[in-house]
Amino acid sequence: MGVYLNSKNPYGMFLDEAASMYFIDKSEMLLELLPMVENSEDIIENLGSGTGKSNRYLCITRPRRFGKTVMATMIASFFGKGKDSRPIFEKLKVRNAKEAFEAHINKHNVIYISLNEVPQNCSSYEKYIGRIEKRLRNDLKSQFPDIEVDEEEPVWDILNDIYESEDEDRFIFVLDEWDYIFHRDFVREKDKKAYVEFLSNLLKGKSYVELAYMTGILPIAKYSSGSELNMFYEYTMAEEEKYSEYFGFTEGEVDELYKRYKAQKLNPENVTREGLRIWYDGYHTKAGERVYNPRSVVAALTNNNLGNYWTSSGPYDEIFYYIRENVDAVRDDLALLVSGIPVQAKVREYAATSMNLRTKNEIFSAMVVYGFLNYEKGYVSIPNKELMDKFSDMLKQEPSLGYVYRLANESDRMLQATIAGDTETMEKILDLAHDTETPLLTYHHETELTAIVNLVYLSARDNYRIEREEKAGIGYVDFIFYPETDKNADCIILELKVDNTPDAAIQQIKDKKYAMRFQGKIGEMSKYSGRILAVGISYNRTNKKHKCKVEVL
């Protein structure tokens, strides 16, 4: 078989995935595609029976690490003739479609291309696209030897000749990472247009296309200036509900994976089910369903370690890349976001296609598309601890963030002063926020104070799990600091007040019995053995001063 046409490569990749301990069967996606590849003549015979074909051009866009390539290899493995994949799929849910299963498994010509592969030392678009054309042309010559092929002939002309001459042979195209080249250094603006035209010439209005399934991060709308790729239906995480269950892990799927983890009886078991939620949950589909980052969940369970698996493969994986053009537009919002406070934004996924990001909405649109932010009901938020840690690191490293940077870098000193009960130092650090004329410090309500306090305790995230407004005792508390790396460390309860006193804040902590959060369930020993510190912080809008008090409960 060929390199692209009926290749064994996607089968090998999917076989390894299906054999892994933490594989989730999402083969029901194939049930969505089977009607698209039914014989049109058979459908015409039953016209009026309520059956019909769906659009055969699909583009699925999701952030990195959300299983797009796994899905692409599954589709190519099921339909393609390159390798008998029946031993895999007979054990998966798609087998329930008995007649359709038998009619289509390994019965189709599949052209599978990973568009993120480039020639060695690639320095031009011509080399990139020339490699693809050469390999596909060689595949077609090899598998259809009766077709006369001119080396200069476009591949779409060859495919059309095959369709006309070889009993109407048709092809399923599976194109993974379609947008990979748009931000490569060797690609110019005219190359982007040429690439879109290449895809249009290859796919649009061609009878030999049985199905075109394309994946990427960025939507295609703004890459195609006219109608070149308008045959595609696009399915994004924020804008379209359809197919959303097949990308990322749902709550139920993570529950199943955690059962497999527990069955190993590891000693010690370093991963908790709640830990998986805190670290990797937080994304939402258009329908509102919660979604986990699948790559990170699998990595944590495999390594028996809750950690940051957000790997960086270039500038698009770095947060500051998105805000560098206009830090002023999002500085205050970043302070709110790292406090766990959602920020209103008009997210339009197409805006991310331009990396000349100037406005707040353009910046946040790009960050949603690339997976740094979650978008739900008109608000963006940092989805989980894995990403919160990335944001925290960035805030400490970028002086252009002004007061946000300065306060974040005082956070080590603030935590140590709190533990030592050094309220004088605590008050000086908080007054620094006012002295820098922080826009947030209008303090019209406690939300703004919350954001500033969160900044000055940013380093505490390294050793504590910090929860905001959590139900505790018989009321709600502003912040609870749960020791994570050292269970003997001090526990911290922090209450905020505007135009009141820190004594009133601490009295509320006592009256509402917030310390019960550290005691565990009835009959259980507390897993925390350190002191419990009640911390009251107040801000007086008249004299513009902060007051702090720390008391051991």
Side-chain angles (χ1 to χ4, degrees), residues 32-33 35-37 52-59 210-213 229-235 242-243:
E32 308 259 14
L33 303 182
M36 302 178 192
V37 296
K53 297 187 74 168
S54 302
N55 179 64
R56 68 183 194 273
Y57 295 92
L58 284 73
C59 181
E210 191 170 23
L211 171 70
Y213 178 91
L229 299 178
N230 66 353
M231 67 284 196
F232 277 98
Y233 284 12
E234 294 190 66
Y235 299 92
K242 193 173 179 63
Y243 305 125

Side-chain angles (χ1 to χ4, degrees), residues 33 50 56 76 117 205 243 250 254 261 276 315 342 372 379 384 390 413 432 465-466 486:
L33 303 182
R56 68 183 194 273
E117 296 177 355
Y243 305 125
T250 64
V254 175
Y261 167 80
L276 291 173
F372 287 103
Y379 286 83
N384 50 47
K390 296 284 286 185
R413 196 158 68 101
L432 170 68
R465 173 168 59 88
I466 302 175
D486 180 7

Side-chain angles (χ1 to χ4, degrees), residues 31 59 94 147 155 170 219 229 252 316 330 336 402 447 470 520 538:
L31 302 180
C59 181
V94 67
I147 297 296
V155 290
R170 306 181 77 194
L229 299 178
Y316 303 102
V330 294
L336 294 170
T447 298
E470 180 162 334
S538 68

